[in-house]
């Protein structure tokens, strides 16, 4: 190997995985019902109350095998009627947290929680990516300050 290639190899970034949960397993909440998830999202202001009707946010709730919450990851935020979702960021969060399941969550600033065609497409794309990694998409919940829509409750997940 010549010196130029050796120097280039030495300047490559070192990638490390760091998994340091801050909550004891016994203290993690178990959330199995969409109503419980919605209540947690609203009560804990996971979606900022001052902007929930102003712009869209996309978040995921990550679960372990026992349906205990590992964490919530903010994926992206957008405008009044759409949010771009990078599936790589979703998969990265799921893999780094060692999740076996996830619930997708986003808001509709209009207050109409019915899923759009785009919501259906992104749900399918995320499910397909998760299937490769043996991660289960448990639900996709669309919220507003007063209501929510659950793909699981409607038999669409």
């Amino acid at each position: 190997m010549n010196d130029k290639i050796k120097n280039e190899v030495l300047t490559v970034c070192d990638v490390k995985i760091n998994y340091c949960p801050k909550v004891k397993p016994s203290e993690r909440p178990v959330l199995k019902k969409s109503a419980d998830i919605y209540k947690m999202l609203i009560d804990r202001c996971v979606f900022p109350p001052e902007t929930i009707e102003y712009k869209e946010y996309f978040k995921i709730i990550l679960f372990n095998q026992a349906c205990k919450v590992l964490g919530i990851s903010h994926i992206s935020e957008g405008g009044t009627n759409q949010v771009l979702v990078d599936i790589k960021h979703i998969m990265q969060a799921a893999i780094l947290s060692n999740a076996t399941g996830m619930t997708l969550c986003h808001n509709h600033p209009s207050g109409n929680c019915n899923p759009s065609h785009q919501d259906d497409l992104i749900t399918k794309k995320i499910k397909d990516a998760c299937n490769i990694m043996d991660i289960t998409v448990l639900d996709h919940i669309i919220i507003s300050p007063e209501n929510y829509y659950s793909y699981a409750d409607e038999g669409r997940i």
Side-chain angles (χ1 to χ4, degrees):
M1 190 179 320
N2 69 37
D3 287 338
K4 182 180 179 202
I5 293 174
K6 280 184 185 177
N7 288 338
E8 287 175 2
V9 170
L10 294 177
T11 61
V12 173
C13 295
D14 185 22
V15 177
K16 295 181 181 181
I17 295 175
N18 189 7
Y19 181 67
C20 299
K22 295 178 179 168
V23 178
K24 296 176 187 175
S26 61
E27 296 173 357
R28 294 180 186 144
V30 176
L31 297 173
K32 292 185 179 180
K33 297 178 185 174
S34 62
D36 294 338
I37 292 171
Y38 175 71
K39 183 172 174 25
M40 185 267 307
L41 293 171
I42 294 297
D43 289 354
R44 295 199 181 175
C45 298
V46 173
F47 287 82
E50 64 277 3
T51 57
I52 193 171
E53 294 179 271
Y54 177 67
K55 61 181 170 180
E56 282 196 32
Y57 298 91
F58 197 99
K59 300 173 186 270
I60 58 173
I61 304 172
L62 301 157
F63 295 91
N64 68 11
Q65 192 65 35
C67 273
K68 290 189 174 191
V69 176
L70 296 171
I72 298 170
S73 182
H74 175 85
I75 301 300
S76 61
E77 58 187 76
T80 56
N81 63 354
Q82 69 179 353
V83 60
L84 296 176
V85 178
D86 189 337
I87 295 173
K88 291 184 296 290
H89 290 169
I90 291 171
M91 298 312 297
Q92 179 185 42
I95 291 166
L96 289 175
S97 67
N98 205 28
T100 59
M102 73 173 72
T103 291
L104 315 174
C105 308
H106 80 281
N107 65 305
H108 280 179
S110 68
N112 177 356
C113 293
N114 292 322
S116 68
H117 179 65
Q118 283 302 115
D119 294 335
D120 293 343
L121 290 176
I122 197 65
T123 302
K124 182 184 180 331
K125 286 177 77 172
I126 294 168
K127 277 184 65 175
D128 290 347
C130 285
N131 284 340
I132 293 169
M133 301 302 297
D134 291 326
I135 299 169
T136 303
V137 175
L138 302 166
D139 202 348
H140 183 168
I141 296 176
I142 302 169
I143 73 164
S144 75
E146 297 178 328
N147 205 358
Y148 72 95
Y149 177 95
S150 163
Y151 275 72
D153 291 354
E154 298 298 322
R156 298 187 58 205
I157 201 75

